[in-house]
Amino acid sequence: MAAIDNTLPPTFNRLAWSNLAAQSAEQIALAAAPIVAVLLLGVGEGQTGLLQTALTLPFILFAIPAGMLADRISRRWLMTSAEALRAAALAAILALIWLNLLTLPLLALSGFIAVCGTVAYSVAAPALVPSLVSPKLLPAANARIELARTVAFASGPALGGVLVGWVGAAPAFGFAAALSVVAVVLLSGIYEPARAPAPRRHPLQEIKEGAAFVLHHALLRPVFITQFIFNTASFLLLAVFVPYAVRRLGLSATGVGATLAMYGVGMVVGALSATRVMRRLPFGTVIALGPVIGFIAAVVLALTTFVPSPVLAGFGFFLLGAGPILWVISTTTLRQSVTPPSLLGRVSAINIMSYGARPVGSALGAIVGGFYGAEACLYLAVAIFGAQALVILMSPAVSLAQQPEMVGEPAKALRAC
């Protein structure tokens, strides 16, 4: 893997380091916000729930507009502006704390603006990567990007909590803002090849074009459906696991945290091994691995209803982290390979829209868990994970022997330009 990483061009390496700084800033701020709301502002559970809603809404509201912008203007410029917006929003929180003016509405508003920057960055980054590396290096490049995200995901929340606890709320947001500034500086040094100017059309027509491409594509449609079902099932599990672990497995707060931490460990291990796995296995087999391992993870977690072992539960979460990372890297590579460059931003945005299944899974956990208990949720999760594995196993994507050839622009699109 190291040999492949060394062949990645310097301009991509700047993007990779920028991604690590940006993702770390996001995770630290997301962890610090509810802690500050509780400890500094004294809010309760209902109000923190509203805060979390404000911090997740941009993914639903602005993913598609961000995708359209990523297909119309410079993706590097969009990412740089988005990261600068996040830095400004985090700096505003820092200033409000110092001036003793912070309120829950202002925290929610500033957090909402910061996450808008996150959405634009997350949509544009996968669309930018193919213009920075050769097609054969896409798996290695996506693995590097995903490794940064997993490291930030695994360590960011803990670091945010430690910073708030040890040095206070203001330095925590100041550190996150500084990381965003670092990301801006790194992005500003990236060379992005020029693209043909996109024709100006009605936004609804552009959205329709992106959605139609995904939903009518024989390879991308089952990938999107699988991802939507997976997000539903995984958040169903997460919604009920903590009370289940305390009641059924007898875990303390520390034990629950250690068990859930295995999810992050699995993500890091999966990201580190992804390039090697993708070199040794057929491309379609790697795509199938994520959903199948997700199903196995759900079965392992359901087995704890018969064998209440924390070790078994930890192994289940490890699998739940490791397998889907292979899925993210392989399907991102697939999406970049089969999508015309002028559509990559919108197709990336539609992929992010599958995150809308997460509140569906959480609500399902609340309803089923409330009426039938957490055990029923674990069994239901097995069925849903089984469904997403079947969807992808029955698709033509799993029969791909190798990464598809990169597509260019359709003849009509070239004439339109």
Side-chain angles (χ1 to χ4, degrees):
M1 181 173 179
I4 290 180
D5 284 351
N6 288 336
T7 65
L8 291 170
T11 189
F12 170 79
N13 289 330
R14 291 184 71 94
L15 174 63
W17 284 110
S18 165
N19 184 60
L20 177 60
Q23 297 284 356
S24 298
E26 176 195 12
Q27 292 300 323
I28 290 171
L30 287 177
I35 297 174
V36 167
V38 173
L39 298 183
L40 194 63
L41 304 179
V43 304
E45 290 84 351
Q47 291 170 304
T48 55
L50 292 174
L51 175 62
Q52 293 293 356
T53 300
L55 298 179
T56 55
L57 270 179
F59 282 96
I60 298 174
L61 297 177
F62 297 119
I64 294 297
M68 289 191 295
L69 280 175
D71 286 339
R72 285 185 174 183
I73 65 176
S74 163
R75 288 156 184 166
R76 179 192 65 84
W77 186 89
L78 175 61
M79 294 169 67
T80 304
S81 301
E83 199 58 32
L85 177 67
R86 174 159 52 188
L90 295 175
I93 297 175
L94 171 65
L96 289 169
I97 293 174
W98 273 346
L99 296 172
N100 200 28
L101 296 175
L102 186 67
T103 63
L104 183 63
L106 288 175
L107 177 61
L109 176 61
S110 299
F112 179 89
I113 294 171
V115 176
C116 288
T118 299
V119 171
Y121 189 106
S122 301
V123 167
L128 177 61
V129 170
S131 67
L132 303 182
V133 303
S134 63
K136 70 176 183 179
L137 291 178
L138 276 178
N142 290 324
R144 176 80 72 82
I145 292 291
E146 200 58 30
L147 178 61
R149 188 180 74 87
T150 57
V151 169
F153 183 89
S155 62
L159 183 56
V162 168
L163 285 171
V164 173
W166 286 5
V167 297
F173 283 104
F175 183 61
L179 286 173
S180 283
V181 171
V182 170
V184 169
V185 172
L186 289 167
L187 284 169
S188 64
I190 291 176
Y191 168 74
E192 178 185 4
R195 305 197 315 272
R200 295 291 178 176
R201 293 175 297 169
H202 194 282
L204 290 180
Q205 185 180 358
E206 294 199 350
I207 294 171
K208 181 180 178 181
E209 184 181 16
F213 183 83
V214 172
L215 297 179
H216 293 156
H217 198 287
L219 298 175
L220 298 186
R221 181 177 61 251
V223 166
F224 178 82
I225 294 172
T226 300
Q227 189 152 310
F228 190 92
I229 300 174
F230 176 89
N231 275 292
T232 301
S234 60
F235 273 72
L236 165 63
L237 276 178
L238 292 174
V240 301
F241 180 75
V242 172
Y244 170 79
V246 172
R247 176 178 54 83
R248 178 73 174 178
L249 304 182
L251 292 177
S252 63
T254 302
V256 171
T259 302
L260 292 174
M262 293 304 295
Y263 178 71
V265 172
M267 291 174 69
V268 172
V269 171
L272 285 171
S273 62
T275 305
R276 187 179 298 109
V277 170
M278 293 183 73
R279 284 203 306 263
R280 295 183 177 180
L281 295 178
F283 189 77
T285 301
V286 181
I287 289 177
L289 276 178
V292 170
I293 293 176
F295 171 69
I296 295 171
V299 171
V300 170
L301 287 168
L303 285 176
T304 62
T305 61
F306 301 98
V307 183
S309 165
V311 174
L312 197 61
F315 180 60
F317 275 102
F318 175 85
L319 292 176
L320 195 60
I325 285 299
L326 295 174
W327 161 267
V328 170
I329 294 169
S330 59
T331 56
T332 299
T333 302
L334 173 65
R335 197 176 301 112
Q336 293 164 337
S337 300
V338 303
T339 304
S342 62
L343 275 172
L344 267 174
R346 281 164 286 170
V347 170
S348 177
I350 290 167
N351 174 66
I352 286 180
M353 290 297 291
S354 67
Y355 294 173
R358 294 178 175 183
V360 175
S362 298
L364 195 58
I367 294 170
V368 175
F371 281 103
Y372 303 105
E375 289 82 355
C377 290
L378 295 182
Y379 303 144
L380 179 59
V382 171
I384 300 176
F385 272 109
Q388 54 95 42
L390 282 176
V391 169
I392 201 64
L393 289 174
M394 294 173 64
S395 78
V398 299
S399 63
L400 293 171
Q402 58 188 9
Q403 176 186 335
E405 295 291 330
M406 299 290 290
V407 303
E409 297 294 350
K412 183 172 70 173
L414 288 174
R415 287 195 298 270
C417 292

